[in-house]
Amino acid sequence: MLSQKTIDIVKSTAPVIAAAGPAVTQHFYQRMFSHNPELKDIFNMSHQQGPDKNTPSSQQKALFNAVCAYANNIDNLAVLLPAVEKIAQKHTSFLITADQYQIVGSHLLATIDELLAPGQEVLDAWAEAYGVLATIFINREEEIYQESNNKVGGWRGMREFIVTKKQRDSELITSFTFTPADGGQVADYKPGQYLGIYINADELEHQEIRQYSLSSAPNSTNYRISVKREAQGTVSNYLHNNVNVGDKVKLVAPAGDFFLDVKPQTPVTLISAGVGLTPMLAMLETLTQHQAAVNWLHATENGQQHAYKDHVKALANHHQHITALTWYNAPTATDRPAEDYDYQGLIELNNIATQIADPTMHFYCCGPIGFMQFIANQLISLGVTSDRIHYECFGPHKVL
């Protein structure tokens, strides 16, 4: 427990940190990577790059927001538990250790001292506050590690898998199926969760760690991810270009706080854009035996970029409770209305308002942040309460 003195000091100095802006976390990351360059093999260095050297990156902004939220809620940590869970889940896919929390803490305190020079009493208070938060994370992450290890087919740390299938699903998306090299089972997961993959290659400057949503329902035998080739994507391009059937990769057990969690009688709508369909596929396959209505709403540019079109159509045709609708933003000359897609342009939920009007329906959304904000605003305007809207951001988390 934190002392009241520490709480008072941290809350009183929080505005000073806030006024300094993301420059605090920008300095922190620069300092940490300078003193502990080995951490470049853990952090996604592409998330450290802002649009220019003077503009904080998305990761730096995310950490700054987290620091401010902690300081402002230090006397009511319960409100931070959802954020703690999200971060703890992600940390386990990076195999974060207790020792690394000590490194981070030392650089955070040094950053506050170097930029703001608040005095030893303030530094001691922030050190105590950081220690409490670090302990919360360390304990929760240890629980997740043990839960993963204790599952049938589970493990802790990295495990070697073999690529047993590589399938091109659209001009941008390719799927990879991984089977354990040891011949054992794989642990089940909650549809919507992601898999951690570790890439070490001579042509890459650092070890690269990424998380990709599992794109099929659990089957105890293998895992599948579906990866979009990003123009500047270090790992996505490496996977597309260099990883083939028969190759070995190292994976970390599934994790993540975004997953399907509904009762059998609860209607569900899955809304995605582009590669955001990946966690939705795992959910859709799981919902084939669902007792309530299921809507699949997907937006993509055109037929060339429409992954898993035939698969989703087959699921909808074979299961009467599933309805699948597709929007093409810019159909090509060969794309057929009512056959390849249902609507042109952006998803306009007013057009299907009666189909999603059930007051008990839950909505799961994944895609670019702008798309999810666009969808969330429409849902709210239709009277959907925030507790029925669930979403996943690829990269640093943002609030819709």
Side-chain angles (χ1 to χ4, degrees):
M1 292 290 293
L2 290 169
S3 67
Q4 188 59 48
K5 180 181 178 181
T6 291
I7 291 173
D8 292 342
I9 291 175
V10 170
K11 293 204 74 169
S12 66
T13 54
V16 179
I17 300 289
V24 172
T25 47
Q26 193 172 20
H27 182 91
F28 160 76
Y29 278 116
Q30 292 170 350
R31 189 184 201 285
M32 184 174 68
F33 291 136
S34 174
H35 288 79
N36 294 90
E38 72 278 6
L39 295 181
K40 293 181 179 181
D41 283 336
I42 296 176
F43 284 81
N44 183 342
M45 298 307 295
S46 65
H47 287 165
Q48 299 299 321
Q49 300 171 4
D52 57 69
K53 65 179 182 179
N54 296 316
T55 303
S57 68
S58 59
Q59 184 61 64
Q60 292 162 358
K61 291 178 182 177
L63 178 60
F64 171 74
N65 291 335
V67 170
C68 290
Y70 177 54
N72 289 326
N73 292 282
I74 195 168
D75 53 350
N76 185 20
L77 295 182
V79 303
L80 300 177
L81 291 181
V84 167
E85 182 64 16
K86 182 177 293 293
I87 296 169
Q89 291 282 343
K90 183 65 69 71
H91 280 181
T92 61
S93 69
F94 287 104
L95 300 179
I96 298 299
T97 65
D99 289 344
Q100 289 164 340
Y101 275 99
Q102 300 305 314
I103 295 173
V104 168
S106 66
H107 290 298
L108 182 61
L109 293 171
T111 294
I112 293 173
D113 189 27
E114 291 166 2
L115 291 186
L116 305 173
Q120 193 59 47
E121 185 177 52
V122 172
L123 290 175
D124 289 344
W126 276 85
E128 183 185 350
Y130 175 82
V132 168
L133 183 63
T135 298
I136 292 172
F137 276 110
I138 291 168
N139 290 342
R140 176 58 187 139
E141 288 159 21
E142 179 60 27
E143 289 176 354
I144 298 171
Y145 288 134
Q146 291 185 17
E147 289 166 4
S148 295
N149 190 55
N150 293 337
K151 289 181 179 179
V152 175
W155 72 98
R156 180 170 183 158
M158 287 182 278
R159 184 180 178 187
E160 193 169 70
F161 282 70
I162 300 171
V163 179
T164 50
K165 186 176 182 180
K166 181 179 181 180
Q167 174 178 306
R168 189 172 185 266
D169 300 308
S170 74
E171 67 176 8
L172 295 177
I173 296 175
T174 293
S175 291
F176 300 83
T177 300
F178 306 113
T179 303
D182 58 21
Q185 286 183 264
V186 299
D188 282 348
Y189 52 90
K190 298 173 182 177
Q193 290 189 305
Y194 47 74
L195 192 67
I197 183 168
Y198 283 57
I199 302 294
N200 287 278
D202 293 338
E203 54 265 52
L204 300 180
E205 183 178 1
H206 306 290
Q207 172 181 265
E208 298 288 350
I209 307 171
R210 295 293 186 273
Q211 295 79 33
Y212 291 106
S213 297
L214 289 144
S215 61
S216 62
N219 61 35
S220 302
T221 302
N222 54 47
Y223 294 130
R224 186 182 74 193
I225 61 173
S226 301
V227 181
K228 177 186 177 184
R229 182 195 291 272
E230 302 286 354
Q232 304 300 319
T234 300
V235 174
S236 67
N237 279 286
Y238 181 84
L239 290 171
H240 277 246
N241 297 336
N242 300 91
V243 175
N244 296 296
V245 172
D247 290 344
K248 293 182 178 180
V249 298
K250 292 181 178 179
L251 304 179
V252 172
D257 71 322
F258 175 72
F259 50 81
L260 184 68
D261 183 21
V262 293
K263 296 178 180 179
Q265 298 81 19
T266 301
V268 176
T269 292
L270 310 174
I271 311 176
S272 60
V275 75
L277 60 68
T278 52
M280 302 303 165
L281 280 169
M283 294 184 189
L284 184 66
E285 292 181 0
T286 303
L287 290 166
T288 54
Q289 304 304 315
H290 201 54
Q291 297 175 20
V294 175
N295 297 311
W296 168 275
L297 312 181
H298 180 61
T300 189
E301 194 66 15
N302 51 49
Q304 294 176 339
Q305 296 186 23
H306 189 178
Y308 285 97
K309 177 182 69 175
D310 293 337
H311 178 56
V312 170
K313 184 179 292 186
L315 290 177
N317 288 339
H318 285 88
H319 303 279
Q320 293 185 349
H321 67 290
I322 296 177
T323 300
L325 297 174
T326 303
W327 283 254
Y328 281 4
N329 188 44
T332 66
T334 59
D335 291 331
R336 301 160 296 176
E339 181 66 25
D340 297 314
Y341 64 99
D342 301 284
Y343 298 95
Q344 183 173 346
L346 304 178
I347 292 181
E348 296 290 347
L349 295 179
N350 278 327
N351 294 333
I352 58 168
T354 56
Q355 192 169 321
I356 58 174
D358 191 312
T360 66
M361 182 172 286
H362 277 245
F363 298 82
Y364 289 82
C365 186
C366 189
I369 186 66
F371 166 79
M372 292 195 294
Q373 290 170 335
F374 176 63
I375 294 298
N377 288 336
Q378 291 187 65
L379 290 173
I380 291 170
S381 70
L382 290 171
V384 178
T385 53
S386 60
D387 61 305
R388 293 190 286 128
I389 303 173
H390 317 276
Y391 65 98
E392 173 83 319
C393 293
F394 293 161
H397 183 69
K398 296 181 180 179
V399 177
L400 296 187

